[in-house]
Amino acid sequence: MLFAASCSFCSFIYLLPIVTNVWIWISFGTTYGLAYAQNHTNQDFPYISYTGVDEPESGIFSFLLTVSAIMLAVNAEMRFLFIRKRIQRNRANCSNSWQIANITGLVVGLLSSIGLLMVACFQVDTMFPPHIVGAAVAFILPLVYMCLQTALTRKLKRPRWEWLWQCINTAVTCIIFVIFIVPFVYVKVEKKEDLKDVLLLANITELLLALSLYAFLISFMGCFKEIRVLTINVQLVEDNHRYQDEENRQQQVPLTLLTDTQTI
C-alpha cells in the first residue's frame, strides 16, 4: 500500500500536508524559474504545463509532479484510514452511506493523483490529448473530493477549525475554478491575438487553483496528528504452510488418542 513508506516517520505523519504544499510550491517555482531564465517562455505568467516543455525543465517538471501525485495519493489514503477507524468507533451514529462516502473519497482522491501523473508524463506540446484529459481530472475531481471530505468532517464532529478551513477553502476553490474556466474556454474558442488580458487571467487563476487545491490538505493535520501506530503485517508463504501443518498435527492428536482408547 502507498502508506507503507510512512511507517518510518509515523510520529511526524501530521507534517505530510505541509510537506506536500511546500513541495508543490517548489515544483511550480523551479520549473517557472528555469523556463523564464532560459527564455523558454514568452509570457510573464504562462500556463503551468508550458513551463515544462523544453529541456531541462521537461524532465524536472515530470519528476516533481510525479512526486506530488504520490504525495497526494498518500494523503488521500491516510485520510481514508483515519475516517474508516472513526466510523467503526461510531457505528451507532454513522450509517453505511457514510462508509460508502469514505470509500468514494478514496477512489476520487486516487483518481485525482492519477490525473496529475498524466499531466506529468504526457507533455502538452507532444501529447496534448492525454495531457488535457489528465489536467481535467486533476482539476475537477479534487472539487468532488473536497466536498466529500467536508461532509465527513462535519458528520464526525471534528474540531471546528478543520470544518471551517474546509468550507472556506472549498468555496474559494470553486470560485477560482469558475474564474479560470471561463477565460480558458473563451481563449480556446476565439483564438484571437488581442486577448492577452484574458489569457493572463486564465494563467494566473490556473496557478491559484492548483495551490488552493493543495491547501485543502492542511485541514488533515489534525486527524493525522491523532495517528499513533501504523503497522503492516507481512507473512511469508513458507510460514503460512508451517502454521497450517502445526494446526493439522494439533487436530490429529485427539483422534489418535481416541483410536488408542478404543483399541484398549
Side-chain angles (χ1 to χ4, degrees), residues 26-182:
I26 293 175
S27 301
F28 293 157
T30 300
T31 54
Y32 173 77
L34 288 174
Y36 187 81
Q38 301 186 68
N39 295 321
H40 289 166
T41 177
N42 56 1
Q43 302 178 25
D44 293 333
F45 265 94
Y47 285 118
I48 297 174
S49 300
Y50 284 99
T51 62
V53 172
D54 299 315
E55 296 181 356
E57 303 97 273
S58 59
I60 297 174
F61 179 82
S62 297
F63 170 75
L64 294 177
L65 281 195
T66 298
V67 176
S68 300
I70 295 174
M71 287 184 174
L72 178 61
V74 174
N75 276 278
E77 188 169 6
M78 294 298 298
R79 171 73 173 182
F80 164 77
L81 293 174
F82 176 83
I83 295 297
R84 185 179 66 177
K85 181 64 67 175
R86 284 298 183 187
I87 291 177
Q88 290 174 352
R89 292 188 177 184
N90 297 276
R91 291 180 179 177
N93 299 324
C94 298
S95 60
N96 291 332
S97 60
W98 291 104
Q99 298 179 4
I100 296 174
N102 189 33
I103 296 174
T104 303
L106 174 64
V107 173
V108 172
L110 294 180
L111 288 177
S112 301
S113 65
I114 292 175
L116 186 60
L117 190 61
M118 292 177 63
V119 172
C121 295
F122 301 106
Q123 298 296 333
V124 64
D125 60 330
T126 57
M127 293 172 284
F128 182 77
H131 178 89
I132 198 65
V133 170
V137 172
F139 280 141
I140 296 175
L141 287 187
L143 296 176
V144 179
Y145 180 79
M146 294 164 72
C147 294
L148 285 171
Q149 297 305 318
T150 303
L152 287 168
T153 300
R154 180 68 173 176
K155 179 62 178 179
L156 296 178
K157 298 180 179 180
R158 296 289 303 158
R160 188 175 181 83
W161 76 267
E162 290 185 17
W163 183 71
L164 287 176
W165 178 281
Q166 293 178 356
C167 287
I168 296 173
N169 188 260
T170 302
V172 171
T173 304
C174 290
I175 293 173
I176 295 175
F177 178 80
V178 173
I179 298 175
F180 159 70
I181 201 66
V182 171

Side-chain angles (χ1 to χ4, degrees), residues 189-205:
V189 172
E190 293 295 330
K191 296 181 180 180
K192 296 180 180 179
E193 296 182 356
D194 58 343
L195 298 176
K196 293 183 178 180
D197 293 338
V198 179
L199 181 61
L200 179 62
L201 177 61
N203 295 342
I204 294 176
T205 50

Side-chain angles (χ1 to χ4, degrees), residues 248 250-262:
N248 291 334
Q250 291 175 359
Q251 292 176 358
Q252 292 174 359
V253 170
L255 295 176
T256 304
L257 293 175
L258 180 58
T259 303
D260 293 341
T261 303
Q262 291 176 347

